[in-house]
Amino acid sequence: MKAFAFLRGVTTLVITLAGLLFITFVIGRVMPIDPVVAVVGDKASQETYARAREEMGLDKPIWVQFGRYIEGVARGDLGQSSSSGQPVVEDIARAFPATLELSVFAIVIGVLVGLPLGVYAAHRRNTWFDHAARFMSLFGYSTPVFWLGLIALLIFYAQLGWTSGPGRIGTAYRYTVQEWSGLLLIDTLRSGDWNAFRSAFSHIILPGLLLGYFSLAYIARMTRNFMIEELNKEYVTMARIKGASETRILWRHAFPNALVPVVTVIALSFGHLLEGAVLTETVFAWPGLGLYITKSLFSADMPAVLGGTLVVGVCFVLLNKATELIYPFLDPRTRAR
Amino acid sequence: MSAAADSLIPNSRREARLIQLRIGLRRVLRNPSTLVGGILVLLLLVMAALAPLLATHDPMAQSLVDRLTPPGAQHWLGTDQLGRDIYSRLLYGAQPTLMIVILVIAFSAPLGLIIGMVAGYMGGWVESALMRLTDIFMAFPRLILALALVSALKPGLTNAVIAIAITAWPSYARLARAETLALRHADFVEAARGLGQTGTRIVIGQILPLCLSSAAIRATLDMAGIILTAAGLGFLGLGAQPPMAEWGAMIGTGRDHIFDAWWVAAVPGIAILLVSLGFNLLGDGLRDVLDPKHHD
């Protein structure tokens, strides 16, 4: 039974990933720009054009092309970026740590603030605390992230001068930091360069807090809903009759039961951060995956756009799969018998 | 529910419906979320409809002498980098926003409902295949898929609508499937089957009406997300093309002047915020009112 469930899980994962590939492949084919012209230029001779077309495999039937595409991706080949001239995989590998650092920073804030906020809002349902928390969430849900980013830059960078502006680290440190993990906060700490660390921190704080706010809005609201559902159940009344303290009821009785949906929400919100990062990175000139995708968009660099899209999609799928794998540890009811 | 409403005993089907409507309406008006949300959404409708009447300037008229004028008596909300009146552009900007929302919902909700209901009713491999497809589309973060699609199709308002619609249908499919699964073996569905109704007729006549209220709530909540995605595309220059007044694109052009002329970007952002806040509040409130599971 266990082996069957595992096999089923693997099959759905493979099908989903193949589907992702098919979508990016199709998007790559419907574009109005001729991919051959994008490579050889529109002044190329007839022979050059034909040869390039053959080399790119565009003369083959569409299914063969799709097969080749999958084969390439499996080998880690996402094509060549037409704007940087580098393999797309290398470009993405360079940009990815920046996005990872920003999203991890944000999700940590989202979880640390959002979880307790949601739990206590559920506990003090319909009090001013609950209403304030709800309004904060709603505001986060409804605000365009790029706009809030611009306003934050205007206030905290330009007016008050509390933080650094766009970018990831001060220009003075850009080439002195020893790359180790690719996450600048860790790398600067590791090399013991305090000034560089301070510079990196004052750069990440604004976009990080901003994205953190958006994820905490989501996490707090969903946690509140799940907790209210649990708190209405009989075992909570039972615990109360037994004389358990409210803190104990909240964290020891109700919260563990709400944990599975809450973890799902956290994973989802991490996925949304990758999305929010596209706009935030553009506003803050943060050299991550999002900025890479938007920059490539404007140079009509389709391999780069699709490669970036695919990587984000795959991250999203794997993240969801990973949460499914930890369910049994969180909730005995989901363990396969 | 008040005692007065309970004591009303309907004498006919029509009267019963009217009383129901009255009770519903009273609940909607009493709920602060729906009330505030409704007012904000109404404001958007009024702005879009009466833009030509309310505008003080031509939204396209450039005047380089007046460029980047701060808000004042002449230009209530200031002017942008081409000297265009922001207040007037804001009013006209309500039109594309409203159009995008309506078109996306009109396309994605029926598509998602059909896919979800067919999957839920048929079961078997049809269900597996359709739901797999739904999962695949859900696997992409919305904005990123929309970005890739728009860039492949060419930037523009129509393509933005197509791209957002393609990313919006899966949530309706999931919802409709869940509802259909719960109803598939309900007595009234079995009865309809026993009377010899075909599958299509059962799905449309018996199941669809029961999916509609949750789909309507979903759609209202979705509208805020659609507005934000559309604004994001506009901001990146992939949505409405200049010189059209569109809120996201207005923020995009205001970005270069954020430090010296903040109002150019700030004003349309507030408009987007208020409108999506309106849809969120309305959706939240409607769920409280319509969905019995959420009643206290």
Side-chain angles (χ1 to χ4, degrees):
Chain A
M1 220 35 208
K2 226 170 184 176
F4 179 69
F6 178 75
L7 217 67
R8 222 184 114 107
V10 171
T11 323
T12 47
L13 182 65
V14 168
I15 294 177
T16 313
L17 290 179
L20 286 185
L21 281 166
F22 187 66
I23 292 180
T24 47
F25 175 77
V26 169
I27 295 176
R29 295 297 128 158
V30 298
M31 61 178 178
I33 321 153
D34 185 340
V36 183
V37 174
V39 172
V40 297
D42 49 5
K43 289 192 184 69
S45 68
Q46 199 69 41
E47 293 104 71
T48 326
Y49 181 88
R51 207 175 56 226
R53 194 176 141 86
E54 215 181 296
E55 264 171 33
M56 292 165 79
L58 290 171
D59 52 339
K60 302 273 186 320
I62 196 101
W63 285 108
V64 178
Q65 290 182 36
F66 182 51
R68 280 196 174 189
Y69 177 66
I70 290 192
E71 196 192 314
V73 173
R75 267 191 283 116
D77 176 13
L78 292 173
Q80 196 112 16
S81 157
S82 55
S83 49
S84 74
Q86 304 261 353
V88 171
V89 176
E90 279 177 28
D91 283 348
I92 290 179
R94 207 168 306 123
F96 195 73
T99 299
L100 188 69
E101 185 172 29
L102 191 59
S103 339
V104 169
F105 191 96
I107 199 78
V108 167
I109 294 172
V111 172
L112 285 185
V113 183
L115 265 188
L117 200 67
V119 170
Y120 281 105
H123 176 49
R124 290 183 208 157
R125 203 175 167 194
N126 292 331
T127 59
W128 66 268
F129 182 84
D130 183 24
H131 293 309
R134 174 159 178 249
F135 188 76
M136 217 172 107
S137 290
L138 255 179
F139 191 78
Y141 263 61
S142 313
T143 314
V145 55
F146 50 95
W147 175 75
L148 204 58
L150 284 174
I151 302 296
L153 271 178
L154 171 68
I155 296 174
F156 296 106
Y157 165 64
Q159 301 285 333
L160 298 171
W162 289 358
T163 66
S164 299
R168 216 179 154 198
I169 195 164
T171 22
Y173 308 104
R174 193 171 292 163
Y175 302 102
T176 61
V177 179
Q178 272 190 355
E179 285 251 344
W180 182 64
S181 62
L183 311 179
L184 284 186
L185 285 180
I186 294 176
D187 288 355
T188 49
L189 264 188
R190 187 171 164 272
S191 58
D193 186 348
W194 276 104
N195 289 329
F197 175 76
R198 213 169 294 140
S199 170
F201 188 76
S202 80
H203 277 89
I204 201 175
I205 186 82
L206 218 47
L209 279 179
L210 202 70
L211 279 176
Y213 171 51
F214 284 92
S215 81
L216 94 81
Y218 184 56
I219 292 175
R221 174 149 133 167
M222 299 310 274
T223 306
R224 174 186 179 269
N225 292 349
F226 299 138
M227 281 298 285
I228 284 180
E229 212 169 286
E230 289 302 322
L231 288 174
N232 280 337
K233 289 191 176 159
E234 283 182 351
Y235 71 86
V236 170
T237 320
M238 179 66 200
R240 225 167 251 150
I241 294 170
K242 262 181 13 186
S245 71
E246 281 300 311
T247 320
R248 196 179 157 80
I249 289 173
L250 276 186
W251 294 104
R252 293 282 304 167
H253 291 259
F255 185 65
N257 283 320
L259 205 54
V260 165
V262 165
V263 166
T264 314
V265 161
I266 292 173
L268 267 179
S269 127
F270 197 77
H272 288 306
L273 281 179
L274 294 174
E275 183 175 20
V278 172
L279 292 166
T280 317
E281 284 178 5
T282 316
V283 171
F284 287 91
W286 189 265
L289 200 52
L291 191 65
Y292 179 67
I293 294 178
T294 45
K295 266 191 179 163
S296 310
L297 274 175
F298 291 103
S299 40
D301 186 352
M302 276 321 265
V305 173
L306 294 176
T309 310
L310 189 66
V311 168
V312 173
V314 169
C315 285
F316 210 68
V317 172
L318 292 182
L319 211 63
N320 283 329
K321 207 73 214 169
T323 38
E324 273 173 37
L325 290 180
I326 62 169
Y327 285 166
F329 296 100
L330 301 174
D331 187 348
R333 284 172 300 187
T334 56
R335 274 173 214 161
R337 254 154 293 183
Chain B
M1 218 179 289
S2 70
D6 284 332
S7 68
L8 292 172
I9 298 159
N11 293 316
S12 66
R13 214 178 234 230
R14 205 170 137 256
E15 239 180 85
R17 285 227 176 104
L18 281 175
I19 292 172
Q20 273 279 300
L21 198 73
R22 221 177 92 190
I23 295 172
L25 206 66
R26 192 185 298 163
R27 272 212 215 124
V28 167
L29 291 179
R30 265 210 205 132
N31 183 313
S33 290
T34 31
L35 192 65
V36 177
I39 291 173
L40 286 172
V41 172
L42 205 65
L43 208 65
L44 174 75
L45 294 175
V46 170
M47 279 173 77
L50 302 182
L53 290 177
L54 297 172
T56 51
H57 295 73
D58 176 354
M60 309 287 182
Q62 304 182 5
S63 158
L64 290 177
V65 206
D66 297 324
R67 65 193 297 271
L68 301 176
T69 317
Q74 183 61 38
H75 298 281
W76 295 349
L77 297 173
T79 62
D80 65 7
Q81 75 286 358
L82 294 173
R84 294 174 296 195
D85 182 56
I86 293 180
Y87 166 72
S88 306
R89 287 180 70 74
L90 198 69
L91 288 172
Y92 278 93
Q95 292 172 351
T97 305
L98 198 63
M99 196 188 85
I100 290 172
V101 168
I102 292 173
L103 287 179
V104 169
I105 295 284
F107 178 82
S108 60
L111 180 70
L113 282 176
I114 291 172
I115 289 179
M117 287 190 305
V118 169
Y121 189 77
M122 305 275 280
W125 68 268
V126 176
E127 182 181 14
S128 319
L130 288 178
M131 293 330 284
R132 247 323 52 103
L133 188 73
T134 312
D135 286 346
I136 291 168
F137 273 91
M138 274 201 143
F140 278 113
R142 212 166 176 173
L143 181 71
I144 303 218
L145 183 57
L147 272 182
L149 274 167
V150 171
S151 66
L153 293 170
K154 231 172 89 185
L157 204 57
T158 327
N159 288 338
V161 169
I162 295 174
I164 300 174
I166 288 178
T167 62
W169 65 268
S171 55
Y172 297 94
R174 280 216 175 153
L175 181 148
R177 172 176 165 265
E179 299 261 346
T180 311
L181 278 182
L183 296 170
R184 187 161 55 170
H185 297 295
D187 286 344
F188 66 92
V189 173
E190 295 289 359
R193 207 173 289 136
L195 287 170
Q197 288 195 2
T198 57
T200 324
R201 228 181 121 186
I202 293 176
V203 165
I204 293 173
Q206 311 287 340
I207 295 177
L208 179 65
L210 290 166
C211 291
L212 283 182
S213 79
S214 43
I217 296 168
R218 174 81 254 165
T220 317
L221 288 171
D222 234 17
M223 286 176 183
I226 293 168
I227 288 174
L228 291 181
T229 311
L233 288 175
F235 173 71
L236 292 173
L238 296 169
Q241 296 300 301
M244 185 191 238
E246 192 270 331
W247 294 343
M250 283 166 76
I251 300 179
T253 53
R255 189 184 161 188
D256 302 333
H257 306 281
I258 184 71
F259 295 139
D260 47 321
W262 55 266
W263 56 89
V264 183
V267 169
I270 294 171
I272 299 173
L273 167 63
L274 287 179
V275 168
S276 65
L277 193 67
F279 280 113
N280 272 329
L281 282 169
L282 189 65
D284 258 13
L286 280 181
R287 186 173 49 196
D288 289 343
V289 172
L290 294 176
D291 190 348
K293 268 181 288 182
H294 281 79
H295 281 173
D296 293 340

